[in-house]
Amino acid sequence: MCALLVTGTVLTGCSEDPNEGTNGVGRLPAAKIQAKTRTAAESAGAVRVHGNVVSGERTYALDMRLKDDGGEGSVTTEGTTFQLLRVGEQLFVKADAEFWSHGEGQGEGKADAAAASKLGGKFVKVPQGDPSYQKFSGFTDKGVLLDGLLTLHGTLATDGHDEQAGVRTIRITGDKGSGGALEVSLEGKPYPLRLERAGGAGTLTFSAWGEDFGLREPERNETVDYGKQLPTS
């Protein structure tokens, strides 16, 4: 405790060190904090990513669990939700017939009613040569997704201490927030816990760092395999 005696009166309440009892990254320059949080994220075996990403003219609501050899979860865009599952190189998309009939799975193409009804409610195996493979697999690739997200733009600076889901954090920003803002854990490893993307391009939370989960390919009666290319009209 800090105390000061002034004309017979004791004044207490000196400010406490917000980094006391933490992992210490809050005392570092912003650039070093960002480097350490990227290293922590890359070395973690698994993570859950939840929130919104704006890309082009679309907003994607993500709820994905990711690890080094795959991922699973859901993506919602323009009122349509689809599930993604990747085990190793095998990628599957599961959605209703309306999703396929509107061509969400094939870019500009779309399945006819008969094909859409066969695809609806099934795990559809996405051929690696199909244009949709790259589009969808990015949502399930921990390395690619985090590398694209955990980047602040412009001049980096620290912007005070906060709390995320009960965990103390240090906030770092790019160009005073216009280049994005990141909440980094001050407890345990310096994992990123919340990201505000530059230019209002979405907000994401990160949790369950290092918590492993099982991944398995769906049963044969749950899947549809269309060979080298998904059906188009």
Side-chain angles (χ1 to χ4, degrees):
M1 179 180 291
C2 231
L4 178 65
L5 182 63
V6 180
T7 62
T9 302
V10 178
L11 302 178
T12 62
C14 290
S15 60
E16 297 179 356
D17 180 359
N19 295 300
E20 185 176 353
T22 70
N23 55 24
V25 297
R27 296 188 175 99
L28 300 176
K32 287 190 176 181
I33 297 175
Q34 177 172 254
K36 283 186 173 293
T37 197
R38 288 184 71 96
T39 298
E42 290 168 0
S43 64
V47 64
R48 180 188 178 195
V49 182
H50 181 266
N52 298 307
V53 171
V54 180
S55 179
E57 298 181 354
R58 287 199 176 193
T59 297
Y60 297 90
L62 310 181
D63 189 356
M64 301 295 301
R65 295 192 69 185
L66 310 170
K67 59 182 185 177
D68 293 335
D69 61 348
E72 64 178 358
S74 65
V75 179
T76 300
T77 181
E78 297 187 348
T80 300
T81 298
F82 54 95
Q83 292 179 263
L84 292 175
L85 169 64
R86 184 174 63 83
V87 183
E89 298 298 320
Q90 301 302 318
L91 176 67
F92 302 87
V93 179
K94 183 178 181 181
D96 59 20
E98 184 178 4
F99 171 90
W100 296 106
S101 64
H102 281 79
E104 299 290 348
Q106 302 84 28
E108 297 302 319
K110 61 182 180 179
D112 59 29
S117 66
K118 293 179 181 178
L119 298 174
K122 295 285 190 179
F123 283 98
V124 179
K125 186 176 180 180
V126 182
Q128 293 187 34
D130 191 275
S132 300
Y133 186 91
Q134 192 70 26
K135 174 182 176 181
F136 289 138
S137 65
F139 288 115
T140 67
D141 190 314
K142 173 178 170 284
V144 169
L145 193 62
L146 293 182
D147 187 59
L149 293 175
L150 297 178
T151 300
L152 301 178
H153 303 279
T155 303
L156 300 182
T158 55
D159 187 32
H161 294 70
D162 207 336
E163 185 177 287
Q164 179 68 31
V167 177
R168 287 184 293 172
T169 62
I170 180 73
R171 180 181 175 90
I172 58 175
T173 62
D175 281 347
K176 299 181 179 180
S178 63
L182 187 64
E183 300 281 351
V184 178
S185 176
L186 288 175
E187 302 177 20
K189 293 186 178 181
Y191 291 126
L193 299 184
R194 185 175 186 272
L195 171 70
E196 297 171 19
R197 300 186 71 210
T203 300
L204 293 161
T205 59
F206 306 90
S207 60
W209 285 105
E211 296 181 16
D212 195 18
F213 60 95
L215 279 177
R216 68 168 184 84
E217 292 189 23
E219 300 294 334
R220 181 170 296 182
N221 62 359
E222 299 177 294
T223 65
V224 175
D225 188 344
Y226 266 83
K228 294 184 179 181
Q229 186 175 5
L230 297 178
T232 60
S233 58

